[in-house]
């Protein structure tokens, strides 16, 4: 779900975030692609850029990883596949935005957007991110409590912490962060744009952010134990994202993609 931030509502600007999902591969080895993008608020066509990036990512990553025979051989094999997919998305994004800009002087910069992509397979996960989106996994337990893990984020693009890198940036191919996880215990995941960083992440233990366990647990709970009306669950999530409490932390657009594994484990279970 993506919701318009209070600041954009005040300024009469649309929500410039986007999200997407796709599923490929045979039932016994299904590949799920989840992605979020955050268009740069200062760029005139970043809403279109975010939507284009999401469409390209769900298609390209799904095709490259879903059409393979068998699981990746090892982490290096998966990283190579993820990097190739990202570079294909990057090239298509630049070509597409030049075409959309026509005679406009801005070119791809007018469509500037971040991009975060997760590819989930049986027992493994591939992660590709450019910009300030983030991903939290739920995997394992400690003293009976589910554990939440923030995946690595790219370093800041500049001297100031609020600077970020976009698909239209000249150094996008150098700034992208790619990581792999092998863990049969992954049973929940949350992707978000930076509009939820203050709520979903915590720096209570030092400068390196950690997942905010209470927030992650709350947004996954309704998928673990869904109510009788899925629309009511969606409305509840929307109300949370638009709440005064979260708006006070960050007035930007907010996007959240969440999934949990249902019964059956990594071989037979399904991501919802």
């Amino acid at each position: 779900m993506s919701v318009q931030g209070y600041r954009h509502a005040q300024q009469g600007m649309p929500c410039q975030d986007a999200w997407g999902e796709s599923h490929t591969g045979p039932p016994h080895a299904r590949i799920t692609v989840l992605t979020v993008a955050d268009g740069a608020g200062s760029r005139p066509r970043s809403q279109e850029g975010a939507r284009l990036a999401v469409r390209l990512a769900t298609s390209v990553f799904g095709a490259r990883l879903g059409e393979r025979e068998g699981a990746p051989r090892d982490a290096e094999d998966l990283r190579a596949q993820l990097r190739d997919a990202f570079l294909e998305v990057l090239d298509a994004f630049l070509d597409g935005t030049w075409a959309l800009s026509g005679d406009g002087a801005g070119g791809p910069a007018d469509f500037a957007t971040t991009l975060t992509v997760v590819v989930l397979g049986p027992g493994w996960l591939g992660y590709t991110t450019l910009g300030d989106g983030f991903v939290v996994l739920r995997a394992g337990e400690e003293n009976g409590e589910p554990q939440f893990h923030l995946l690595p984020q790219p370093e800041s693009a500049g001297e100031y912490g609020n600077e970020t890198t976009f698909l239209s940036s000249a150094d996008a191919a150098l700034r992208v962060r790619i990581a792999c996880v092998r863990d049969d215990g992954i049973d929940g995941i949350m992707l978000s744009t930076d509009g939820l960083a203050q709520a979903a992440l915590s720096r209570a233990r030092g400068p390196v952010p950690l997942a905010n366990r209470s927030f992650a647990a709350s947004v996954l709970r309704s998928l673990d134990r869904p109510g009788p009306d899925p629309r009511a669950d969606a409305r509840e999530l929307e109300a949370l994202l638009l709440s005064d409490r979260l708006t006070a932390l960050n007035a930007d657009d907010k996007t959240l993609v969440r999934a949990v594994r249902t019964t059956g484990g990594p071989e037979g279970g399904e991501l919802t």
Side-chain angles (χ1 to χ4, degrees):
M1 179 176 292
S2 293
V3 299
Q4 182 187 32
Y6 179 75
R7 185 168 61 244
H8 282 188
Q10 287 281 85
Q11 297 171 350
M13 298 169 61
C15 176
Q16 295 165 324
D17 283 3
W19 66 274
E21 62 166 333
S22 65
H23 306 279
T24 60
H28 66 280
R30 190 166 87 150
I31 302 298
T32 297
V33 180
L34 305 173
T35 180
V36 297
D38 181 359
S42 60
R43 308 298 170 83
R45 303 184 69 177
S46 62
Q47 179 188 27
E48 296 173 72
R51 291 175 177 177
L52 175 61
V54 162
R55 288 198 304 273
L56 291 170
T58 52
S59 173
V60 171
F61 278 83
R64 280 190 172 268
L65 278 297
E67 293 175 359
R68 288 173 52 99
E69 289 294 331
R73 294 187 304 274
D74 51 32
E76 289 307 312
D77 178 34
L78 180 54
R79 284 194 189 95
Q81 291 294 321
L82 294 170
R83 182 162 186 83
D84 287 347
F86 174 78
L87 293 177
E88 183 177 342
V89 169
L90 179 60
D91 286 345
F93 179 86
L94 295 176
D95 289 345
T97 50
W98 273 120
L100 288 170
S101 62
D103 296 330
D110 282 351
F111 300 81
T113 181
T114 66
L115 180 66
T116 298
V117 184
V118 168
V119 184
L120 291 144
W124 59 267
L125 176 151
Y127 167 63
T128 304
T129 186
L130 181 73
D132 46 18
F134 61 90
V135 174
V136 173
L137 301 183
R138 184 179 65 187
E141 292 187 351
E142 187 173 309
N143 298 322
E145 293 290 336
Q147 297 300 295
F148 296 91
H149 313 274
L150 175 66
L151 292 183
Q153 295 178 277
E155 295 181 1
S156 174
E159 178 182 357
Y160 303 102
N162 62 350
E163 295 183 37
T164 193
T165 308
F166 303 109
L167 282 174
S168 55
S169 300
D171 58 350
L174 300 176
R175 291 282 184 180
V176 65
R177 182 71 182 263
I178 297 173
C180 310
V181 177
R182 181 168 186 143
D183 190 339
D184 291 337
I186 298 171
D187 64 358
I189 186 167
M190 181 182 78
L191 291 74
S192 180
T193 55
D194 73 322
L196 284 171
Q198 287 84 354
L201 306 181
S202 170
R203 296 181 183 271
R205 299 184 183 179
V208 178
L210 301 172
N212 180 342
R213 183 190 180 284
S214 63
F215 183 85
S218 68
V219 299
L220 295 180
R221 189 174 297 123
S222 64
L223 290 185
D224 289 323
R225 298 188 294 274
D229 182 2
R231 291 171 299 181
D233 292 337
R235 289 193 297 269
E236 181 180 335
L237 177 61
E238 182 179 29
L240 171 65
L241 298 183
L242 292 172
S243 66
D244 291 343
R245 179 169 63 91
L246 293 192
T247 298
L249 294 173
N250 191 316
D252 197 3
D253 298 333
K254 297 174 178 63
T255 293
L256 182 70
V257 173
R258 55 185 182 167
V260 299
R261 193 179 299 283
T262 58
T263 57
E267 295 299 328
E270 295 291 337
L271 282 165
T272 303

